[in-house]
Amino acid sequence: MLELREVHTGYGRSTVVHGASLTVPEDGIVVLMGHNGAGKTTLLRAVMGLLRITAGAITFDGQDISALRPHARVARGLAYVPQGQHSFGQLTTMENLQVVADGRSNGRRLVEEALERFPALLEVLDRRAGLLSGGQRQQLAIARALITEPRMLILDEPTEGIQPSVVAEIERTILDLTRRGDLGVLLVEQHIGFALRAADTYYVLESGRISSSGSAGSGAEADVLAAMAI
């Protein structure tokens, strides 16, 4: 469903990603791994239209979206959870969810479904998001993204700074969502164990180039470690 073909992108005159190509199916999980500074977040920002690509193409559901603005990509079915557990800190947990749900005819149902997936948020609905733990904020960020009814969920380091119990819950949620068959996930993740358990396919990005890719099945961890030269 989502395909990147020889994508080049970066900041100003500095090219960070050099000809990256990858494919994310409509019902699978693809993980993108690499060292800090390899260009992973830069590539995700280009997928969402937050950075302009200077060469190559990005297609979604067979349509070229390379020139679309971010809001138009969201309308097509892309949802992005950036690194850092972003939320509206002065708003309560429920208000953060309602901001996204407002204007949707099925907004109430979508909020209820999001809370069913992250029941820990039920205990903090009236608490300001800025006072939540890192794990709670990350769950809130993913819940907000799901309210947009995405067909492709893009997650940047969802386990960063999160306690193991919440990591396991996030992993279960991601797997449950893709089992429905109508959601693809592009995941950037540093924790190799989590990444390869969750994903079907992996790509390794090094110095802005895809250096390795393959199935995330048995034996993949050794291949990834070798590709990353750890």
Short mmCIF file of all heavy atoms in Angstrom, two decimals, residues 3 45 76 84 133 221:
data_model
loop_
_atom_site.label_atom_id
_atom_site.label_comp_id
_atom_site.label_asym_id
_atom_site.label_seq_id
_atom_site.Cartn_x
_atom_site.Cartn_y
_atom_site.Cartn_z
N GLU A 3 4.56 2.78 -0.69
CA GLU A 3 5.80 2.42 -1.38
C GLU A 3 6.69 3.66 -1.53
O GLU A 3 6.22 4.71 -1.98
CB GLU A 3 5.52 1.82 -2.75
CG GLU A 3 6.77 1.35 -3.47
CD GLU A 3 6.49 0.71 -4.81
OE1 GLU A 3 5.31 0.70 -5.23
OE2 GLU A 3 7.44 0.20 -5.43
N ARG A 45 9.36 11.69 8.23
CA ARG A 45 8.85 13.05 8.03
C ARG A 45 8.59 13.31 6.55
O ARG A 45 7.64 14.02 6.19
CB ARG A 45 9.83 14.07 8.60
CG ARG A 45 9.84 14.09 10.13
CD ARG A 45 10.94 15.00 10.68
NE ARG A 45 10.80 16.37 10.22
CZ ARG A 45 10.00 17.27 10.78
NH1 ARG A 45 9.26 16.92 11.83
NH2 ARG A 45 9.94 18.50 10.31
N ARG A 76 -5.95 10.92 3.35
CA ARG A 76 -5.87 9.70 2.56
C ARG A 76 -5.79 8.44 3.45
O ARG A 76 -6.01 7.33 2.96
CB ARG A 76 -4.63 9.73 1.66
CG ARG A 76 -4.66 10.78 0.55
CD ARG A 76 -5.57 10.36 -0.59
NE ARG A 76 -5.53 11.32 -1.66
CZ ARG A 76 -4.80 11.19 -2.77
NH1 ARG A 76 -4.01 10.14 -2.93
NH2 ARG A 76 -4.84 12.12 -3.71
N GLY A 84 8.77 10.97 20.98
CA GLY A 84 8.72 11.92 22.08
C GLY A 84 7.41 12.03 22.82
O GLY A 84 7.21 12.95 23.62
N SER A 133 2.67 9.86 32.98
CA SER A 133 3.96 9.20 32.82
C SER A 133 4.29 9.08 31.34
O SER A 133 3.42 9.24 30.47
CB SER A 133 3.93 7.81 33.45
OG SER A 133 3.09 6.94 32.70
N GLU A 221 17.56 -11.64 13.76
CA GLU A 221 18.31 -10.79 14.68
C GLU A 221 19.79 -10.80 14.36
O GLU A 221 20.45 -9.75 14.37
CB GLU A 221 18.09 -11.21 16.13
CG GLU A 221 18.77 -10.29 17.12
CD GLU A 221 18.33 -10.51 18.55
OE1 GLU A 221 17.34 -11.24 18.77
OE2 GLU A 221 18.97 -9.94 19.45
#
